[in-house]
Amino acid sequence: MISLKTLNEKQKNAVKQMDGPIMIVAGAGSGKTRVLTYKVAYLIDNDVKPENILALTFTNKAANEMKDRIRELVGSKANSIWMGTFHSIFAKILRIESQHINYKSNFCIYDTEDSLSLVQNIISNFNMELEAITPNGIRHKISFFKNHMILADEFKRKHAKSFIDEKISEIFYEYQKRLIENNAMDFEDLLLKPIELFNNDNKIHQKYKKKFRYILVDEFQDTNKAQYELVKMLVNKDGNVCVVGDDAQSIYSWRGANIGNMLDFEKDFSKRKVFKLEQNYRSTKIILNAADSVIKYNKNQLIKTLWTENNDGEHLTLIKCSDEKDEAFQIAKYIKHEISKKKLSLKDIAILYRTNAQSRALEDIFRREKIPYKIIGGLEFYKRKEVKDIIAYLRILSNQKDEESLLRIMNFPQRGIGSTTIKRMISFARKHDITLYDTMARVFEVIDIKERIQKNVKAFRLLLEKYIDLKDKLSIGELSRALVDDLGVVKMFKEENTPESRARMENIIELLNSLSEFSASNKDAQLEQYLEDVSLMSEIDSYEESANVVTLLTVHSAKGLEFPIVFISGCEEDIFPLSNRFSSDATLEEERRLFYVAVTRAQQKIYITHARSRYRFGEVAYQSRSRFIDELEPSVIKEVNGSIGRKSHRKSKKEIYYEYFETVDYDDFDQDNKSVRPGSRVMHEKFGLGKVTQVIGSGDMLKATVVFEGNNVKQLMLKFAKLKILN
């Protein structure tokens, strides 16, 4: 039997309760992941077959970490658990049962950018001019209604109240039609299609109800209507469902999450048992007191009282700043102060903000002061244009019906196939009810296309046919490298020889490395699985805790993370809370829950900053501090006027820095005075420790050959490699 001695009594009780409906109300930092891990392991230890357990999470990162921990407790049995995000688990079921919903199993998954492209193409095909709403606004509206289980027909019947709504309903209907024609699903379809499948085919529905004897749901407060419906549909007659959540951390209503699901669970499962996890292991007493003093202003909540055996800790520091530049300066100043005083690492520090736009001033100061940082929620690797271009090629090799991917690469690299030619081919495809890919083979039948361009289209089709034929004969790594070499894009970017082209070249090389690593680590790796993983990857999945950099991120992105030191920046009315006097009480309560999440990310110390003025919408706006600051218990916070000390010196900012922080070891931040040379020992945030064997080139083209641990040899452009030089 596995040992539960590391759990407290309430955690043990929650783990041991195997049967029937269970709700675990888990406060921030109360060991929720530990309880879920042990609960799954406990089920397996009590003869429940792992393949009969369904565990649903909200990020791949959470699922992988939990599976690794379960593996430590029960060994290889953990590999058979159905554990993953809602979207990945139901994508798996849909691929198995695809023929029952008129899809092929190799369907592709459209991310928000793909969906937006489809909406734009539909608007263009319809020759619509909609000044009142943007294509992205339409895409967002379609996503919103699908998250609430409202499809095109119902939207038109019940929600189309204006001329614009009528046009949106036309686009909505065509959008769904095109998805089916492209053998594609968007994120919302991955939840709606299983509901459709189970409703239309009772045999399949019963198959999965029987299979999943025990269902566990993490972050239950973040489930939307479709997700909760799926959970209820799969719970069998024994009612063995366990949901874990914290209503105080429900912060995703804008994407359909329904805090009411936690309240409805009590009505839907009247025999449910409730366990409250209230002991916090993460934060100090003062931090918990601060969080509790704010969240108590919310009327709609499940009452719980967090407590901790940790020490009292430091007061929160409230810093009053003159503007956003001063705010960034003060944050940089206190970062260096914390590192000097507590001997912390950069990775121990996070700066949270309400909107991504707030990072600009911070980045400017951090670059100037040579403080290494990483942004979570910036332009993600797999969203970069050149990366998406290559992935579009791979998607066509997998699914030739994917018109959006084909349109993306039709003239990349340039092959003389212009927009007019593409429009004529699309028109031909619609007229003859065939795919755009099939039209390429019949391009000589399309009128008004010059012979030279017809040959270009035919050559492109032959290129794709070549690699479609090779897809099942080569490994994913070999296939992608051969394709990229054939396309000549690396050579093209290399010859362009600009900083931007070199960065794009490095991104493509990194993508090829990713494909090779996936192929090497998965014995029977399928291209479709790689493409699915990429499509369903969230920004937090790529977060590397080992990288020694300050982390900049929105509060939404910070959920589930923790840091010794947390800065909550931009705490002003209309920024945090991001609302005004016209906002509903529900909106304000969600903003307050978001502030609660920000506070409870901190383990040791919190800094809160606000500015008297900042640039907003191109003009200087005078700000009033956030109401959440005034809701904090006065005894937990100490206020400083950050700009006073700065303005009292007629010196440059740089001079004031050195005066305040003479003890800081600036070598931790400034690598400019060190040079890479053969024999240098270096640290790379991904590849680890290494030794430089060769340095060639000069200026921006300086390149080093480095042998990393495990005899892993890499050639790196020093401008982009961000090596830390150890000697």
Side-chain angles (χ1 to χ4, degrees):
M1 294 287 289
I2 61 169
S3 171
L4 303 181
K5 64 181 181 182
T6 60
L7 306 181
N8 64 38
E9 282 306 307
K10 288 191 176 181
Q11 290 174 334
K12 285 178 185 175
N13 292 338
V15 167
K16 288 180 177 178
Q17 179 62 46
M18 289 178 56
D19 299 328
I22 302 163
M23 175 184 278
I24 301 175
V25 181
S30 62
K32 165 181 69 77
T33 303
R34 176 180 288 271
V35 169
L36 268 176
T37 299
Y38 272 87
K39 191 162 187 64
V40 174
Y42 190 81
L43 288 171
I44 294 171
D45 214 33
N46 281 271
D47 300 324
V48 176
K49 292 180 180 179
E51 59 268 27
N52 295 140
I53 299 172
L54 172 63
L56 297 162
T57 67
F58 272 82
T59 66
N60 293 308
K61 185 175 186 290
N64 292 334
E65 287 178 358
M66 210 178 298
K67 209 164 194 177
D68 287 342
R69 294 190 195 183
I70 295 169
R71 198 176 286 113
E72 290 175 7
L73 295 171
V74 299
S76 60
K77 291 179 182 178
N79 298 332
S80 301
I81 303 166
W82 280 60
M83 176 175 282
T85 65
F86 273 89
H87 292 89
S88 65
I89 290 294
F90 287 105
K92 182 177 179 179
I93 290 174
L94 288 172
R95 291 197 192 281
I96 294 170
E97 312 294 348
S98 58
Q99 72 272 20
H100 298 286
I101 52 170
N102 297 318
Y103 269 82
K104 291 186 177 180
S105 63
N106 63 338
F107 64 80
C108 54
I109 300 168
Y110 281 4
D111 62 19
T112 52
E113 188 179 330
D114 301 320
S115 295
L116 175 59
S117 175
L118 180 53
V119 168
Q120 289 170 327
N121 286 330
I122 291 169
I123 293 171
S124 176
N125 294 157
F126 283 1
N127 290 316
M128 284 184 178
E129 292 185 11
L130 299 172
E131 294 181 2
I133 188 167
T134 64
N136 195 44
I138 294 171
R139 183 211 62 80
H140 181 77
K141 202 156 191 172
I142 290 172
S143 173
F144 176 84
F145 279 100
K146 289 180 74 171
N147 271 320
H148 289 80
M149 297 178 64
I150 296 169
L151 295 179
D153 289 340
E154 185 179 350
F155 174 80
K156 185 172 184 177
R157 287 197 319 273
K158 297 182 179 179
H159 302 277
K161 307 294 185 184
S162 66
F163 171 77
I164 290 295
D165 286 343
E166 289 289 341
K167 293 300 180 186
I168 290 173
S169 72
E170 289 180 43
I171 294 167
F172 195 168
Y173 182 83
E174 184 68 14
Y175 175 86
Q176 285 303 125
K177 179 169 169 281
R178 294 274 192 94
L179 282 174
I180 295 169
E181 289 172 352
N182 291 0
N183 193 34
M185 297 188 194
D186 60 16
F187 290 156
E188 291 75 29
D189 284 331
L190 296 178
L191 303 176
L192 295 175
K193 291 295 181 183
I195 294 173
E196 178 188 319
L197 172 68
F198 295 153
N199 280 332
N200 293 342
D201 196 318
N202 186 58
K203 186 177 179 182
I204 292 175
H205 184 197
Q206 294 304 319
K207 167 184 168 183
Y208 287 99
K209 280 187 75 168
K210 184 178 179 182
K211 178 176 181 59
F212 299 129
R213 288 184 54 210
Y214 289 85
I215 299 172
L216 301 95
V217 185
D218 191 13
E219 305 287 9
F220 185 60
Q221 77 281 347
D222 292 334
T223 53
N224 62 24
K225 184 176 181 179
Q227 288 164 329
Y228 187 32
E229 187 65 26
L230 281 167
V231 170
K232 288 189 290 185
M233 291 181 93
L234 288 175
V235 175
N236 60 31
K237 57 181 174 54
D238 297 321
N240 296 331
V241 57
C242 173
V243 300
V244 184
D246 180 6
D247 60 297
Q249 296 186 69
S250 179
I251 58 174
Y252 293 111
S253 67
W254 48 273
R255 68 182 189 198
N258 184 4
I259 190 173
N261 287 347
M262 289 197 75
L263 304 174
D264 289 341
F265 187 85
E266 299 188 14
K267 292 185 291 184
D268 294 332
F269 298 93
S270 57
K271 296 181 180 180
R272 89 273 174 238
K273 290 184 169 63
V274 179
F275 299 88
K276 290 186 179 182
L277 306 182
E278 297 172 306
Q279 182 176 358
N280 176 284
Y281 293 92
R282 175 187 298 155
S283 307
T284 64
K285 287 186 174 72
I286 283 178
I287 289 172
L288 283 191
N289 190 357
D292 184 62
S293 66
V294 173
I295 201 65
K296 72 181 182 183
Y297 282 86
N298 274 8
K299 295 176 183 177
N300 297 311
Q301 59 175 308
L302 298 172
I303 301 302
K304 57 187 171 301
T305 304
L306 290 186
W307 61 277
T308 185
E309 293 179 348
N310 295 339
N311 58 31
D312 288 347
E314 298 182 53
H315 286 80
L316 284 69
T317 298
L318 176 64
I319 308 170
K320 184 179 181 181
C321 308
S322 58
D323 56 27
E324 67 267 35
K325 290 183 179 178
D326 183 42
E327 180 182 51
F329 168 80
Q330 298 298 334
I331 289 172
K333 181 180 83 173
Y334 280 99
I335 285 173
K336 294 188 177 185
H337 173 64
E338 287 289 346
I339 287 173
S340 172
K341 184 176 74 171
K342 298 177 182 173
K343 307 301 179 188
L344 295 172
S345 299
L346 293 168
K347 66 182 179 181
D348 296 325
I349 299 170
I351 296 122
L352 311 184
Y353 35 74
R354 180 62 182 84
T355 64
N356 278 308
Q358 292 169 247
S359 72
R360 184 190 59 79
L362 291 162
E363 290 184 78
D364 289 345
I365 289 291
F366 282 18
R367 281 194 296 265
R368 198 195 72 193
E369 298 303 328
K370 297 183 171 59
I371 298 177
Y373 67 91
K374 178 178 182 178
I375 292 180
I376 295 178
L379 186 59
E380 300 164 51
F381 177 79
Y382 291 102
K383 299 283 193 295
R384 291 169 184 164
K385 180 187 180 302
E386 60 278 5
V387 173
K388 285 213 72 165
D389 288 338
I390 301 303
I391 287 175
Y393 271 97
L394 298 176
R395 280 169 43 163
I396 287 297
L397 303 189
S398 171
N399 172 22
Q400 290 82 59
K401 290 186 176 183
D402 182 3
E403 187 173 289
E404 292 307 304
S405 292
L406 190 53
L407 288 171
R408 184 182 186 99
I409 61 174
M410 188 72 77
N411 204 35
F412 174 81
Q414 289 187 2
R415 50 176 63 91
I417 306 173
S419 59
T420 302
T421 299
I422 292 171
K423 284 179 181 177
R424 286 170 179 159
M425 290 170 62
I426 290 173
S427 178
F428 183 90
R430 300 284 183 269
K431 182 179 178 181
H432 293 83
D433 195 24
I434 60 174
T435 66
L436 182 58
Y437 182 80
D438 289 337
T439 299
M440 291 168 65
R442 296 172 58 179
V443 69
F444 297 107
E445 299 176 38
V446 182
I447 60 172
D448 294 331
I449 295 181
K450 294 178 182 178
E451 185 178 347
R452 172 179 56 82
I453 300 174
Q454 290 175 341
K455 288 179 179 177
N456 292 342
V457 172
K458 188 68 174 176
F460 179 41
R461 162 87 187 209
L462 289 171
L463 174 77
L464 295 176
E465 286 177 347
K466 171 184 172 182
Y467 286 96
I468 291 167
D469 183 57
L470 289 171
K471 185 172 79 76
D472 297 324
K473 298 175 183 176
L474 299 176
S475 71
I476 296 172
E478 291 168 334
L479 180 77
S480 55
R481 286 182 183 278
L483 173 64
V484 167
D485 188 51
D486 216 341
L487 293 172
V489 289
V490 171
K491 182 182 178 183
M492 177 182 73
F493 288 135
K494 191 174 183 180
E495 288 174 349
E496 194 175 320
N497 198 26
T498 64
E500 183 184 28
S501 69
R502 288 195 295 272
R504 289 184 171 184
M505 180 183 73
E506 291 290 330
N507 286 336
I508 290 176
I509 291 170
E510 184 59 32
L511 174 64
L512 293 174
N513 291 339
S514 166
L515 283 150
S516 294
E517 287 171 13
F518 180 84
S519 183
S521 60
N522 295 268
K523 186 179 178 183
D524 300 314
Q526 298 291 315
L527 179 59
E528 288 75 16
Q529 184 58 54
Y530 179 86
L531 295 173
E532 180 177 307
D533 289 353
V534 168
S535 296
L536 298 180
M537 190 174 289
S538 67
E539 59 193 17
I540 202 64
D541 291 331
S542 59
Y543 172 62
E544 295 181 20
E545 296 178 12
S546 59
N548 191 27
V549 293
V550 175
T551 304
L552 277 62
L553 68 171
T554 64
V555 185
H556 282 102
S557 298
K559 188 148 174 293
L561 302 178
E562 58 184 38
F563 302 88
I565 311 293
V566 167
F567 290 81
I568 309 173
S569 66
C571 291
E572 298 139 37
E573 288 294 296
D574 295 335
I575 293 179
F576 201 179
L578 190 67
S579 58
N580 55 42
R581 66 181 184 274
F582 301 112
S583 297
S584 67
D585 290 342
T587 299
L588 181 59
E589 290 210 350
E590 177 150 337
E591 289 289 314
R592 189 175 283 114
R593 292 194 294 270
L594 195 59
F595 188 79
Y596 175 86
V597 167
V599 170
T600 54
R601 297 312 92 199
Q603 296 169 309
Q604 301 172 14
K605 173 71 179 178
I606 294 174
Y607 290 89
I608 296 174
T609 64
H610 68 98
R612 289 193 295 270
S613 68
R614 69 175 68 230
Y615 267 96
R616 300 191 68 198
F617 312 109
E619 296 180 352
V620 174
Y622 293 93
Q623 304 292 113
S624 56
R625 75 182 194 179
S626 170
R627 70 190 70 192
F628 300 149
I629 294 173
D630 298 321
E631 291 173 357
L632 287 164
E633 165 64 41
S635 65
V636 305
I637 194 164
K638 289 185 177 179
E639 185 169 357
V640 298
N641 192 335
S643 55
I644 286 179
R646 182 181 174 200
K647 289 184 175 179
S648 65
H649 296 269
R650 293 186 177 275
K651 300 178 181 180
S652 71
K653 295 176 185 175
K654 196 79 170 181
E655 289 175 313
I656 297 169
Y657 255 85
Y658 289 123
E659 185 171 315
Y660 285 169
F661 303 110
E662 294 173 354
T663 59
V664 173
D665 179 6
Y666 280 83
D667 282 349
D668 287 343
F669 303 93
D670 189 354
Q671 294 287 306
D672 288 354
N673 62 336
K674 296 182 179 181
S675 59
V676 178
R677 60 186 184 277
S680 293
R681 289 173 59 250
V682 295
M683 172 66 77
H684 186 278
E685 64 179 51
K686 178 177 180 180
F687 304 125
L689 285 169
K691 187 173 183 179
V692 178
T693 59
Q694 184 183 31
V695 179
I696 57 174
S698 61
D700 287 348
M701 296 302 293
L702 198 62
K703 185 183 295 184
T705 302
V706 186
V707 181
F708 292 99
E709 293 174 314
N711 202 30
N712 185 14
V713 181
K714 297 288 182 183
Q715 273 206 336
L716 304 171
M717 298 287 289
L718 293 183
K719 181 171 182 178
F720 304 107
K722 297 180 181 177
L723 291 174
K724 183 176 178 68
I725 303 157
L726 304 179
N727 67 3

